[in-house]
Amino acid sequence: QSALTQPPSASGSPGQSVTISCTGTSSDVGGYNYVSWYQQHPGKAPKLMIYEVSKRPSGVPDRFSGSKSGNTASLTVSGLQAEDEADYYCSSYAGSNDYVFGTGTKVTVL
Amino acid sequence: EVQLVESGGGLVQPGGSLRLSCAASGFSFSTYWMNWVRQAPGKGLVWVSRLKSDGSSTNYVDSVKGRFTISRDNAKNTLYLQMNTLRAEDTAVYYCARGWYGSFDIWGQGTMVTVSP
């Protein structure tokens, strides 16, 4: 049950794109298509942005997209906006009915 | 409106106990797996536990096994987390979250648990 690895920070100017990686193992990210991504603003609860690797819940802008290759999943935010500045966490099913989150990435809009 | 509201947090001494509650509304609570997720101050999210819709199956992160118990009352649309033998490292905001397609789609606002002498 080790945390998935994310870069501590990422940044981009308004209108640019930023991609966040989430690296696990074949026992979690690589083994299942149950990778999800969450956005968390300071002092607020997390919000689901992507589920099942690349699906967007209703109401999430299509600027947010997800993908996976092997043991690494990625979240891309295109057309960065000021309100996208937040912490982002990935999560994966890890087998045996367990789940694991990533270490978190702080996205800064320059 | 779909909503989860946690309560029951507070200050407790090491070795003490606390029971958290999560009241659900706006959806068919009895048909969803439910989870607890915690976040220590300034730290990342950690999945803690999950419970099947009918209460028949439970899972826990290793660090709380044998100390925490998740349960639910579907008649009251409420999820619980009984926390015993609390340690300083259990200090965190505790969120309840609805399970949905391998993700957590609805979150409460969280309740703060502080374990300190």
Side-chain angles (χ1 to χ4, degrees), chain A residues 44-70:
Chain A
K44 301 295 186 182
K47 174 186 177 183
L48 177 65
M49 306 301 285
I50 296 287
Y51 69 101
E52 289 187 335
V53 178
S54 59
K55 298 178 180 178
R56 279 188 311 277
S58 174
V60 173
D62 59 6
R63 302 185 293 104
F64 292 85
S65 62
S67 63
K68 188 183 84 167
S69 178

mmCIF file of all heavy atoms in Angstrom, chain A residues 44-70:
data_model
loop_
_atom_site.group_PDB
_atom_site.id
_atom_site.type_symbol
_atom_site.label_atom_id
_atom_site.label_comp_id
_atom_site.label_asym_id
_atom_site.label_seq_id
_atom_site.Cartn_x
_atom_site.Cartn_y
_atom_site.Cartn_z
ATOM 1 N N LYS A 44 -10.712 22.919 0.974
ATOM 2 C CA LYS A 44 -11.921 22.323 0.394
ATOM 3 C C LYS A 44 -11.771 20.817 0.257
ATOM 4 O O LYS A 44 -10.675 20.267 0.319
ATOM 5 C CB LYS A 44 -12.189 22.929 -0.993
ATOM 6 C CG LYS A 44 -12.373 24.434 -0.983
ATOM 7 C CD LYS A 44 -13.608 24.832 -0.213
ATOM 8 C CE LYS A 44 -13.869 26.327 -0.332
ATOM 9 N NZ LYS A 44 -15.072 26.736 0.459
ATOM 10 N N ALA A 45 -12.898 20.158 0.052
ATOM 11 C CA ALA A 45 -12.889 18.727 -0.196
ATOM 12 C C ALA A 45 -12.420 18.454 -1.623
ATOM 13 O O ALA A 45 -12.582 19.291 -2.520
ATOM 14 C CB ALA A 45 -14.285 18.147 0.014
ATOM 15 N N PRO A 46 -11.832 17.292 -1.848
ATOM 16 C CA PRO A 46 -11.440 16.924 -3.215
ATOM 17 C C PRO A 46 -12.657 16.825 -4.128
ATOM 18 O O PRO A 46 -13.772 16.564 -3.670
ATOM 19 C CB PRO A 46 -10.783 15.552 -3.032
ATOM 20 C CG PRO A 46 -10.362 15.516 -1.596
ATOM 21 C CD PRO A 46 -11.411 16.283 -0.863
ATOM 22 N N LYS A 47 -12.411 17.005 -5.426
ATOM 23 C CA LYS A 47 -13.456 16.907 -6.447
ATOM 24 C C LYS A 47 -12.980 15.937 -7.516
ATOM 25 O O LYS A 47 -11.852 16.055 -8.020
ATOM 26 C CB LYS A 47 -13.726 18.268 -7.080
ATOM 27 C CG LYS A 47 -14.698 18.234 -8.247
ATOM 28 C CD LYS A 47 -14.807 19.592 -8.918
ATOM 29 C CE LYS A 47 -15.717 19.541 -10.140
ATOM 30 N NZ LYS A 47 -15.776 20.838 -10.850
ATOM 31 N N LEU A 48 -13.827 14.982 -7.871
ATOM 32 C CA LEU A 48 -13.490 14.009 -8.911
ATOM 33 C C LEU A 48 -13.436 14.691 -10.271
ATOM 34 O O LEU A 48 -14.403 15.331 -10.689
ATOM 35 C CB LEU A 48 -14.529 12.885 -8.930
ATOM 36 C CG LEU A 48 -14.372 11.822 -10.012
ATOM 37 C CD1 LEU A 48 -13.082 11.021 -9.806
ATOM 38 C CD2 LEU A 48 -15.584 10.885 -10.021
ATOM 39 N N MET A 49 -12.320 14.493 -10.983
ATOM 40 C CA MET A 49 -12.146 15.095 -12.306
ATOM 41 C C MET A 49 -12.108 14.054 -13.429
ATOM 42 O O MET A 49 -12.557 14.329 -14.542
ATOM 43 C CB MET A 49 -10.851 15.921 -12.344
ATOM 44 C CG MET A 49 -10.736 16.973 -11.252
ATOM 45 S SD MET A 49 -12.071 18.163 -11.276
ATOM 46 C CE MET A 49 -11.605 19.170 -12.692
ATOM 47 N N ILE A 50 -11.530 12.895 -13.140
ATOM 48 C CA ILE A 50 -11.389 11.816 -14.122
ATOM 49 C C ILE A 50 -11.598 10.494 -13.401
ATOM 50 O O ILE A 50 -11.094 10.313 -12.285
ATOM 51 C CB ILE A 50 -9.989 11.810 -14.770
ATOM 52 C CG1 ILE A 50 -9.740 13.084 -15.592
ATOM 53 C CG2 ILE A 50 -9.791 10.553 -15.630
ATOM 54 C CD1 ILE A 50 -10.510 13.160 -16.901
ATOM 55 N N TYR A 51 -12.326 9.570 -14.028
ATOM 56 C CA TYR A 51 -12.448 8.223 -13.477
ATOM 57 C C TYR A 51 -12.217 7.203 -14.584
ATOM 58 O O TYR A 51 -12.290 7.545 -15.769
ATOM 59 C CB TYR A 51 -13.804 8.026 -12.799
ATOM 60 C CG TYR A 51 -14.989 7.996 -13.739
ATOM 61 C CD1 TYR A 51 -15.570 6.788 -14.120
ATOM 62 C CD2 TYR A 51 -15.541 9.170 -14.258
ATOM 63 C CE1 TYR A 51 -16.645 6.744 -14.973
ATOM 64 C CE2 TYR A 51 -16.616 9.141 -15.113
ATOM 65 C CZ TYR A 51 -17.166 7.931 -15.466
ATOM 66 O OH TYR A 51 -18.237 7.891 -16.333
ATOM 67 N N GLU A 52 -11.934 5.963 -14.183
ATOM 68 C CA GLU A 52 -11.625 4.900 -15.149
ATOM 69 C C GLU A 52 -10.643 5.386 -16.213
ATOM 70 O O GLU A 52 -10.883 5.262 -17.423
ATOM 71 C CB GLU A 52 -12.913 4.363 -15.781
ATOM 72 C CG GLU A 52 -13.743 3.552 -14.796
ATOM 73 C CD GLU A 52 -14.945 2.877 -15.459
ATOM 74 O OE1 GLU A 52 -15.419 3.363 -16.490
ATOM 75 O OE2 GLU A 52 -15.417 1.868 -14.909
ATOM 76 N N VAL A 53 -9.559 5.944 -15.764
ATOM 77 C CA VAL A 53 -8.408 6.412 -16.560
ATOM 78 C C VAL A 53 -8.684 7.683 -17.355
ATOM 79 O O VAL A 53 -7.880 8.618 -17.323
ATOM 80 C CB VAL A 53 -7.897 5.305 -17.520
ATOM 81 C CG1 VAL A 53 -6.742 5.830 -18.379
ATOM 82 C CG2 VAL A 53 -7.450 4.067 -16.735
ATOM 83 N N SER A 54 -9.807 7.702 -18.100
ATOM 84 C CA SER A 54 -9.971 8.798 -19.059
ATOM 85 C C SER A 54 -11.388 9.352 -19.169
ATOM 86 O O SER A 54 -11.654 10.174 -20.047
ATOM 87 C CB SER A 54 -9.521 8.319 -20.455
ATOM 88 O OG SER A 54 -10.294 7.208 -20.863
ATOM 89 N N LYS A 55 -12.285 8.912 -18.307
ATOM 90 C CA LYS A 55 -13.673 9.374 -18.405
ATOM 91 C C LYS A 55 -13.885 10.594 -17.511
ATOM 92 O O LYS A 55 -13.378 10.659 -16.394
ATOM 93 C CB LYS A 55 -14.628 8.243 -18.007
ATOM 94 C CG LYS A 55 -14.532 7.030 -18.915
ATOM 95 C CD LYS A 55 -15.453 5.913 -18.454
ATOM 96 C CE LYS A 55 -15.334 4.708 -19.371
ATOM 97 N NZ LYS A 55 -16.195 3.575 -18.926
ATOM 98 N N ARG A 56 -14.669 11.535 -18.029
ATOM 99 C CA ARG A 56 -14.977 12.752 -17.265
ATOM 100 C C ARG A 56 -16.382 12.688 -16.703
ATOM 101 O O ARG A 56 -17.346 12.445 -17.448
ATOM 102 C CB ARG A 56 -14.860 14.000 -18.154
ATOM 103 C CG ARG A 56 -13.480 14.527 -18.368
ATOM 104 C CD ARG A 56 -13.536 15.867 -19.109
ATOM 105 N NE ARG A 56 -14.389 15.792 -20.289
ATOM 106 C CZ ARG A 56 -14.002 15.342 -21.463
ATOM 107 N NH1 ARG A 56 -12.748 14.923 -21.604
ATOM 108 N NH2 ARG A 56 -14.832 15.312 -22.497
ATOM 109 N N PRO A 57 -16.538 12.962 -15.405
ATOM 110 C CA PRO A 57 -17.901 13.060 -14.854
ATOM 111 C C PRO A 57 -18.621 14.260 -15.461
ATOM 112 O O PRO A 57 -17.995 15.196 -15.964
ATOM 113 C CB PRO A 57 -17.651 13.291 -13.351
ATOM 114 C CG PRO A 57 -16.243 12.874 -13.115
ATOM 115 C CD PRO A 57 -15.509 13.135 -14.385
ATOM 116 N N SER A 58 -19.928 14.217 -15.391
ATOM 117 C CA SER A 58 -20.720 15.326 -15.885
ATOM 118 C C SER A 58 -20.313 16.625 -15.199
ATOM 119 O O SER A 58 -20.126 16.668 -13.977
ATOM 120 C CB SER A 58 -22.207 15.044 -15.614
ATOM 121 O OG SER A 58 -23.002 16.134 -15.954
ATOM 122 N N GLY A 59 -20.132 17.671 -15.986
ATOM 123 C CA GLY A 59 -19.800 18.970 -15.429
ATOM 124 C C GLY A 59 -18.321 19.306 -15.408
ATOM 125 O O GLY A 59 -17.949 20.465 -15.195
ATOM 126 N N VAL A 60 -17.466 18.317 -15.645
ATOM 127 C CA VAL A 60 -16.020 18.573 -15.687
ATOM 128 C C VAL A 60 -15.650 19.030 -17.100
ATOM 129 O O VAL A 60 -15.977 18.341 -18.077
ATOM 130 C CB VAL A 60 -15.212 17.331 -15.294
ATOM 131 C CG1 VAL A 60 -13.718 17.560 -15.519
ATOM 132 C CG2 VAL A 60 -15.484 16.972 -13.841
ATOM 133 N N PRO A 61 -14.966 20.161 -17.222
ATOM 134 C CA PRO A 61 -14.630 20.676 -18.561
ATOM 135 C C PRO A 61 -13.776 19.691 -19.350
ATOM 136 O O PRO A 61 -12.957 18.956 -18.787
ATOM 137 C CB PRO A 61 -13.839 21.951 -18.247
ATOM 138 C CG PRO A 61 -14.216 22.329 -16.860
ATOM 139 C CD PRO A 61 -14.501 21.061 -16.138
ATOM 140 N N ASP A 62 -13.934 19.708 -20.680
ATOM 141 C CA ASP A 62 -13.155 18.787 -21.513
ATOM 142 C C ASP A 62 -11.697 19.234 -21.639
ATOM 143 O O ASP A 62 -10.922 18.597 -22.357
ATOM 144 C CB ASP A 62 -13.804 18.629 -22.884
ATOM 145 C CG ASP A 62 -13.930 19.935 -23.651
ATOM 146 O OD1 ASP A 62 -13.411 20.975 -23.168
ATOM 147 O OD2 ASP A 62 -14.553 19.928 -24.725
ATOM 148 N N ARG A 63 -11.326 20.308 -20.944
ATOM 149 C CA ARG A 63 -9.909 20.684 -20.873
ATOM 150 C C ARG A 63 -9.111 19.671 -20.043
ATOM 151 O O ARG A 63 -7.879 19.634 -20.112
ATOM 152 C CB ARG A 63 -9.768 22.065 -20.218
ATOM 153 C CG ARG A 63 -10.530 23.182 -20.923
ATOM 154 C CD ARG A 63 -10.262 24.536 -20.318
ATOM 155 N NE ARG A 63 -10.786 24.702 -18.969
ATOM 156 C CZ ARG A 63 -10.039 24.666 -17.872
ATOM 157 N NH1 ARG A 63 -8.732 24.444 -17.943
ATOM 158 N NH2 ARG A 63 -10.596 24.858 -16.684
ATOM 159 N N PHE A 64 -9.822 18.886 -19.264
ATOM 160 C CA PHE A 64 -9.193 17.870 -18.418
ATOM 161 C C PHE A 64 -9.283 16.520 -19.130
ATOM 162 O O PHE A 64 -10.373 16.088 -19.521
ATOM 163 C CB PHE A 64 -9.882 17.791 -17.056
ATOM 164 C CG PHE A 64 -9.671 19.012 -16.205
ATOM 165 C CD1 PHE A 64 -10.488 20.116 -16.337
ATOM 166 C CD2 PHE A 64 -8.635 19.058 -15.277
ATOM 167 C CE1 PHE A 64 -10.289 21.253 -15.563
ATOM 168 C CE2 PHE A 64 -8.429 20.176 -14.491
ATOM 169 C CZ PHE A 64 -9.254 21.276 -14.634
ATOM 170 N N SER A 65 -8.119 15.858 -19.273
ATOM 171 C CA SER A 65 -8.105 14.553 -19.925
ATOM 172 C C SER A 65 -7.124 13.641 -19.214
ATOM 173 O O SER A 65 -6.142 14.095 -18.605
ATOM 174 C CB SER A 65 -7.732 14.690 -21.404
ATOM 175 O OG SER A 65 -6.437 15.230 -21.545
ATOM 176 N N GLY A 66 -7.397 12.342 -19.287
ATOM 177 C CA GLY A 66 -6.556 11.353 -18.629
ATOM 178 C C GLY A 66 -6.145 10.257 -19.575
ATOM 179 O O GLY A 66 -6.835 9.980 -20.559
ATOM 180 N N SER A 67 -5.008 9.631 -19.253
ATOM 181 C CA SER A 67 -4.509 8.519 -20.054
ATOM 182 C C SER A 67 -3.659 7.623 -19.170
ATOM 183 O O SER A 67 -3.356 7.953 -18.013
ATOM 184 C CB SER A 67 -3.698 9.029 -21.250
ATOM 185 O OG SER A 67 -2.553 9.734 -20.798
ATOM 186 N N LYS A 68 -3.269 6.483 -19.743
ATOM 187 C CA LYS A 68 -2.410 5.554 -19.000
ATOM 188 C C LYS A 68 -1.549 4.766 -19.967
ATOM 189 O O LYS A 68 -1.999 4.376 -21.051
ATOM 190 C CB LYS A 68 -3.269 4.583 -18.177
ATOM 191 C CG LYS A 68 -2.483 3.711 -17.214
ATOM 192 C CD LYS A 68 -3.381 2.710 -16.484
ATOM 193 C CE LYS A 68 -3.602 1.470 -17.313
ATOM 194 N NZ LYS A 68 -4.208 0.363 -16.520
ATOM 195 N N SER A 69 -0.309 4.551 -19.563
ATOM 196 C CA SER A 69 0.598 3.699 -20.311
ATOM 197 C C SER A 69 1.412 2.885 -19.319
ATOM 198 O O SER A 69 2.179 3.456 -18.522
ATOM 199 C CB SER A 69 1.545 4.529 -21.195
ATOM 200 O OG SER A 69 2.448 3.684 -21.882
ATOM 201 N N GLY A 70 1.215 1.581 -19.350
ATOM 202 C CA GLY A 70 1.910 0.731 -18.393
ATOM 203 C C GLY A 70 1.546 1.077 -16.966
ATOM 204 O O GLY A 70 0.361 1.135 -16.612
#
